[in-house]
Amino acid sequence: MKETDSERIIMGIDPGTILMGYGIIRVQGQQAELIAMGVIKLDKFQNHYIRLKRIYDRISGIIEEFMPDELAIEAPFFGKNVQSMLKLGRAQGVAMAAALKHDVPITEYVPMRIKQAITGNGSASKEQVAGMLQKILRIPEEQMKIELDATDALGVAVCHHFLTSTPLMRHGDGSVKNWSDFIKQNPGRVKGLITKK
């Protein structure tokens, strides 16, 4: 539930057909805090269509519980296995349909853009993303999830926050400046998060 009219609640999704991650943050001004994160486990459903129904039902339930203002979702990356890509695309589409049903606007981000926004490195590992998110959102160790799908989803939400909440991150046309410029112009926000080599 929202506390004030000035805050935004952003939901992030990391699509998957076995595990689908979700993360929800509350943003007030430039500050973000964790509301919830977790995974939707789909491995017990052998039928792909039943998995899609489960995704729709669970995403709808999460949206109804937390009432996000916006949804950010990771765009599927191109792989060699066409069947896996097809199934992943369907899972993403069903999650998007659940958001659209609830009138929640959607933004997609490619994995490299998300990693770049969170860590400054578009090739960062899932573990590096999780570690940086823990510092950025000051998440206690006991609240961190074993499944990296959850922190991946949280990363999508935080990426969306960074790229839409901070005027210094955007040119007039809405495009994003580089990470180095952001660090120079926002020393207070990133202090202690980046270690110089």
Side-chain angles (χ1 to χ4, degrees):
M1 293 292 291
K2 295 183 184 180
E3 294 177 354
T4 69
D5 292 335
S6 63
E7 74 178 23
R8 285 195 304 159
I9 295 178
I10 302 171
M11 179 175 177
I13 292 180
D14 176 37
T17 56
I18 302 300
L19 286 175
M20 178 170 281
Y22 66 89
I24 303 165
I25 60 172
R26 177 184 290 113
V27 177
Q28 290 182 300
Q30 300 302 320
Q31 300 301 313
E33 65 174 331
L34 174 68
I35 296 179
M37 67 172 161
V39 294
I40 300 168
K41 297 184 178 182
L42 303 161
D43 54 343
K44 67 180 179 180
F45 304 104
Q46 297 302 313
N47 186 302
H48 178 63
Y49 303 107
I50 298 299
R51 288 183 183 182
L52 295 178
K53 181 181 185 303
R54 177 66 173 171
I55 290 168
Y56 184 88
D57 290 345
R58 287 288 289 119
I59 294 298
S60 293
I62 293 167
I63 289 172
E64 289 166 7
E65 179 178 358
F66 295 103
M67 297 187 300
D69 298 288
E70 300 157 65
L71 183 137
I73 190 165
E74 183 175 306
F77 56 89
F78 291 100
K80 293 181 179 179
N81 189 320
V82 177
Q83 285 300 315
S84 295
M85 280 295 301
L86 176 62
K87 289 181 178 180
L88 186 60
R90 287 175 174 173
Q92 185 205 35
V94 168
M96 293 168 75
L100 292 170
K101 172 69 174 176
H102 292 82
D103 297 316
V104 179
I106 301 165
T107 305
E108 288 184 85
Y109 294 98
V110 296
M112 185 176 291
R113 171 62 65 86
I114 298 165
K115 293 175 181 179
Q116 179 73 30
I118 302 301
T119 70
N121 176 7
S123 301
S125 68
K126 289 175 176 285
E127 289 80 7
Q128 288 172 320
V129 171
M132 189 62 78
L133 287 169
Q134 185 175 10
K135 293 178 181 178
I136 292 170
L137 298 174
R138 298 179 178 84
I139 305 172
E141 185 63 36
E142 61 271 16
Q143 290 185 31
M144 293 297 289
K145 301 294 182 182
I146 296 174
E147 302 93 349
L148 293 173
D149 306 80
T151 45
D152 280 354
L154 189 61
V156 186
V158 173
C159 170
H160 184 68
H161 158 52
F162 283 169
L163 302 186
T164 59
S165 299
T166 309
L168 293 175
M169 285 288 280
R170 301 194 302 272
H171 293 296
D173 62 358
S175 62
V176 181
K177 294 182 180 179
N178 62 50
W179 183 253
S180 297
D181 285 349
F182 176 65
I183 294 172
K184 290 175 185 175
Q185 296 175 39
N186 295 269
R189 288 187 65 195
V190 297
K191 184 179 180 182
L193 301 182
I194 305 296
T195 303
K196 292 184 178 180
K197 293 182 179 178

